[in-house]
Amino acid sequence: MDALGLGPFLIGWLELAVRWFHVIAGIAWIGSSFYFIALDFSLKKRDGLPDQAYGEAWQVHGGGFYHMVKYLVAPARMPDELTWFKWESYATWFSGFALLVLVYYFNASLYLIDPNVVILSPVMAITYSLIGLASGWLVYDLLCRSPLGSSVWGLGLGGFVGLVGASYGYTLLFSGRGAMMQMGALIGTIMAANVFMVIIPGQTRVVADLIAGRRPDPGIGARAKQRSLHNNYLTLPVVFIMIANHYPMMFANRLNWAILAVVLIMGALIRHFFNTRHQGQPSPWWTLGASGAGAIVIVFLSWQGSNLAQLEQRAASFPPVEAQALAHAVIETRCVVCHAAQPVWADLSGPPKGTRFDDPTLIESHRQKIADWAVATHAMPPGNVTDISDEERVILANWLRNSKVEGVMP
Ligand code: HEC
């Protein structure tokens, strides 16, 4: 494809449009799911409720009062009209998958593959990614249906170990960024498949039974509840992964999988805080304290897993002007093929993220970004396609440390 042609330009717009849609669908899905969880927990039993009713809640919103009544299995008579909640989840998954294809599969050599991890062809990387998504769901679904599935804690622990193991495994196969996004896609797929393969089919069966005058199997509701509990606890981590792919100190980090493990625990703790609160019980403040401790652990892990600790030890000292000239030469040889007004790298229609280094003043004005993406971490060059060496990163570190922003231009 002609890098400066209409094609990449249109793909850029398509990506933005799909991303917009994906975020909105995700808001609708997570919003309705948070709403129903809070509603569920706020239900109160009282005398005089209709038969089969489990509890009721009164709510006020948007200028009106709502009287919600929950029927555990189903009401005695089916209402004529029933609103289903499923398209929020399906639309989030489809748009997310489209984004995965547009961003990660179309640019597999930049985002998915790191030849320093494993040399893969784009087709192989994409195949592994797809197999990972499908098999991840199958393993999870089997776990839920296995004897372990009857223990909330056993299954929770098994699921946690499985997810952390998967994310560690993916870091041995993909680039840091690819591995983390693969985890986001995997968790998102499990959540959407829970809706599509378990929750909605179960509910459809209950409705059909009721219409036919059969007594629905209460096990169906129990299974749906298990899956929706998992979705509840996975919501915060999955959103974290989706936004963390813009932060190299998370994804381009040797310990990214361990950071994700802490995020999984923090996400569950924070959800637990709100779940308990919505049940009208005393707020478990300890969960917020523990999440705060988790945040400190994450910062520690990301410092340890970055290059900063080693660079500190290897710092040699160059006179500032020399450091600057050397550093600019590194940027010109390793970065400017892509980060220029007219990139030479195939398939780039313009400088990535509008970030250009084809002029010394531009390099100087992007010092912090260069530090974050190419020195503190190995996020750039992607998959080290331009073969930057560790020595060159040390040169960049010296320049960043020693020369002032207003330093002499080479
Ligand atoms: C093969 C092409 C390529 C090379 C070579 C390359 N980059 Fe990048 N760079 C990209 C792409 C693509 C992105 C966009 C990543 C994204 O979507 O988050 C990017 C993003 C960045 C960003 C983030 C910009 C922002 O505002 O989000 C910085 C900073 C950066 N690169 C610095 C560098 C440095 C420094 C080098 C050289 C050491 C380098 N890049 C080499 C392709 C390249």
Side-chain angles (χ1 to χ4, degrees):
M1 194 166 8
D2 175 9
L4 296 178
L6 189 59
F9 192 78
L10 287 180
I11 289 180
W13 274 106
L14 182 63
E15 198 185 298
L16 174 54
V18 176
R19 200 179 288 258
W20 190 23
F21 181 84
H22 180 57
V23 169
I24 292 168
I27 291 173
W29 182 16
I30 295 173
S32 61
S33 113
F34 278 5
Y35 170 74
F36 276 105
I37 290 158
L39 171 64
D40 222 43
F41 284 138
S42 71
L43 294 167
K44 300 266 182 315
K45 294 188 200 316
R46 83 170 158 82
D47 291 338
L49 284 177
D51 283 350
Q52 277 116 9
Y54 164 79
E56 67 170 2
W58 281 90
Q59 301 181 337
V60 56
H61 186 263
F65 293 84
Y66 297 79
H67 182 202
M68 320 291 285
V69 178
K70 177 173 181 176
Y71 296 80
L72 257 198
V73 178
R77 203 188 70 82
M78 279 306 296
D80 298 329
E81 250 181 61
L82 203 50
T83 307
W84 291 76
F85 287 84
K86 56 182 179 185
W87 284 107
E88 295 82 352
S89 129
Y90 302 167
T92 307
W93 189 85
F94 277 114
S95 55
F97 189 75
L99 263 186
L100 184 70
V101 172
L102 278 173
V103 180
Y104 285 80
Y105 292 177
F106 276 11
N107 304 299
S109 56
L110 289 186
Y111 292 148
L112 209 49
I113 301 166
D114 183 345
N116 298 306
V117 178
V118 181
I119 299 176
L120 291 175
S121 68
V123 172
M124 282 315 288
I126 294 167
T127 310
Y128 286 140
S129 164
L130 290 171
I131 292 176
L133 294 182
S135 59
W137 157 254
L138 289 176
V139 171
Y140 161 80
D141 190 49
L142 276 177
L143 267 183
C144 291
R145 292 169 196 271
S146 75
L148 190 69
S150 53
S151 150
V152 173
W153 282 102
L155 188 58
L157 196 67
F160 173 74
V161 171
L163 286 177
V164 176
S167 70
Y168 182 72
Y170 285 139
T171 62
L172 305 178
L173 189 61
F174 297 127
S175 69
R177 185 167 171 164
M180 290 301 107
M181 188 43 69
Q182 176 75 14
M183 283 309 292
L186 172 63
I187 297 177
T189 299
I190 287 178
M191 292 170 67
N194 272 339
V195 177
F196 181 66
M197 309 281 281
V198 178
I199 299 173
I200 294 295
Q203 222 121 57
T204 311
R205 202 138 14 108
V206 169
V207 170
D209 282 347
L210 284 170
I211 291 172
R214 291 186 298 263
R215 230 185 97 72
D217 166 15
I220 294 177
R223 268 193 296 281
K225 192 135 191 86
Q226 174 197 51
R227 303 303 176 104
S228 96
L229 181 79
H230 296 167
N231 281 7
N232 180 208
Y233 282 104
L234 290 171
T235 310
L236 299 188
V238 82
V239 174
F240 174 89
I241 300 174
M242 295 305 160
I243 52 181
N245 67 352
H246 302 284
Y247 294 87
M249 74 275 181
M250 157 60 190
F251 67 80
N253 195 295
R254 276 183 292 279
L255 296 176
N256 49 12
W257 61 274
I259 296 175
L260 182 59
V262 180
V263 171
L264 284 170
I265 298 173
M266 282 171 68
L269 283 172
I270 297 170
R271 282 309 298 155
H272 183 68
F273 177 83
F274 286 102
N275 291 345
T276 314
R277 232 177 129 84
H278 291 151
Q279 276 165 308
Q281 293 173 16
S283 301
W285 292 104
W286 68 269
T287 58
L288 294 192
S291 307
I296 295 172
V297 172
I298 285 177
V299 173
F300 173 77
L301 288 174
S302 74
W303 179 269
Q304 287 302 314
S306 74
N307 302 326
L308 293 167
Q310 287 102 312
L311 284 170
E312 208 63 55
Q313 291 157 6
R314 297 182 57 181
S317 144
F318 297 91
V321 176
E322 195 183 329
Q324 189 183 49
L326 286 170
H328 282 216
V330 170
I331 304 279
E332 272 145 31
T333 37
R334 307 299 178 197
C335 318
V336 171
V337 278
C338 298
H339 290 282
Q342 300 206 340
V344 179
W345 194 265
D347 291 344
L348 286 178
S349 58
K353 294 280 155 85
T355 306
R356 287 171 47 192
F357 307 129
D358 48 354
D359 177 311
T361 33
L362 289 172
I363 299 180
E364 287 300 323
S365 61
H366 285 104
R367 293 162 60 92
Q368 189 58 51
K369 289 228 155 168
I370 294 170
D372 294 344
W373 289 72
V375 182
T377 67
H378 285 175
M380 284 290 140
N384 199 4
V385 287
T386 51
D387 276 323
I388 190 172
S389 68
D390 286 347
E391 282 64 36
E392 286 171 320
R393 293 197 204 264
V394 173
I395 290 175
L396 293 179
N398 277 308
W399 158 65
L400 291 165
R401 198 170 285 127
N402 293 330
S403 68
K404 297 276 175 293
V405 178
E406 60 277 8
V408 194
M409 292 303 161

